[in-house]
Amino acid sequence: YTLVLMDGVPTAGYGSGNAGSFSEINSDNIARIEIVKGPGSALYGSNAIGGIINIITKDPSAKPQVKLWTELGSYDQWNSGLNGSASGDKLSFNINLNYINSDNWREHSAVDKKTGNVKLLYVPSEQSLLTFKLDYINLDNETSGSLRENDFNANWQQDYNTFTYAKLEKYSP
């Protein structure tokens, strides 16, 4: 019963249970995380009995910025991304794209995750600010099940079957 928000909008509305899914969050696009401990149901409803976690994404930067990065790792892990941001007199934007792919170290534990975030800020007058945000995620995720000790000792990479498998594609304005 902890409510997870992204920029003040509940993530649970996307079919991920009450708390939302942290696998949907692109960590490179997080500016800060606000945590409210204890009951918040008076403000946010019955899903916030245990508290609120509000993940605030990055705002556009004052100066134009572009960041392209790639990480390679064991078990065919590939993690890359692109961040871009700029501001003008009336319109500012922040774009964040990320791709993660890995076979992982056990059978039935592969990950293929593509995410994208666009945040536009429009200032029509000195008293007004309009924000438009679009999030995209495409996720294929396998999680291995547990092993008995003797099976683990014989071959720690094996798995009897996939414990959980998640396939998700979502657009959220």
Side-chain angles (χ1 to χ4, degrees):
Y1 291 102
T2 301
L3 182 63
V4 178
L5 307 171
M6 290 268 304
D7 292 323
V9 178
T11 62
Y14 310 128
S16 304
N18 287 342
S21 175
F22 286 105
S23 65
E24 298 178 21
I25 299 167
N26 190 354
S27 61
D28 196 47
N29 197 32
I30 296 174
R32 67 184 185 280
I33 299 174
E34 299 171 348
I35 297 175
V36 178
K37 296 179 183 178
S41 57
L43 293 173
Y44 293 97
S46 63
N47 288 343
I49 292 171
I52 297 123
I53 300 172
N54 189 15
I55 299 165
I56 309 296
T57 58
K58 292 179 181 177
D59 283 329
S61 61
K63 295 180 181 178
Q65 295 180 351
V66 174
K67 175 184 166 188
L68 178 63
W69 53 274
T70 297
E71 298 171 350
L72 301 173
S74 302
Y75 307 104
D76 298 327
Q77 183 168 338
W78 175 278
N79 189 356
S80 60
L82 171 70
N83 301 331
S85 185
S87 293
D89 292 336
K90 298 268 186 193
L91 186 65
S92 303
F93 71 89
N94 186 38
I95 296 174
N96 186 286
L97 304 171
N98 188 248
Y99 176 67
I100 298 172
N101 186 289
S102 178
D103 289 337
N104 285 325
W105 60 276
R106 285 189 66 196
E107 295 174 346
H108 305 292
S109 62
V111 175
D112 186 43
K113 177 181 172 184
K114 301 168 196 84
T115 60
N117 312 93
V118 177
K119 190 179 209 181
L120 297 172
L121 302 178
Y122 176 64
V123 184
S125 68
E126 290 184 20
Q127 294 82 22
S128 301
L129 172 66
L130 299 173
T131 302
F132 173 77
K133 187 172 171 226
L134 178 66
D135 294 319
Y136 169 76
I137 182 166
N138 185 318
L139 173 68
D140 281 317
N141 189 34
E142 294 178 308
T143 304
S144 299
S146 60
L147 292 174
R148 291 184 294 272
E149 183 178 3
N150 58 344
D151 292 333
F152 179 83
N153 291 333
N155 179 3
W156 55 272
Q157 291 181 314
Q158 72 173 319
D159 186 33
Y160 308 127
N161 58 4
T162 301
F163 181 66
T164 59
Y165 175 73
K167 182 166 180 70
L168 171 71
E169 183 169 26
K170 148 182 119 172
Y171 300 89
S172 56

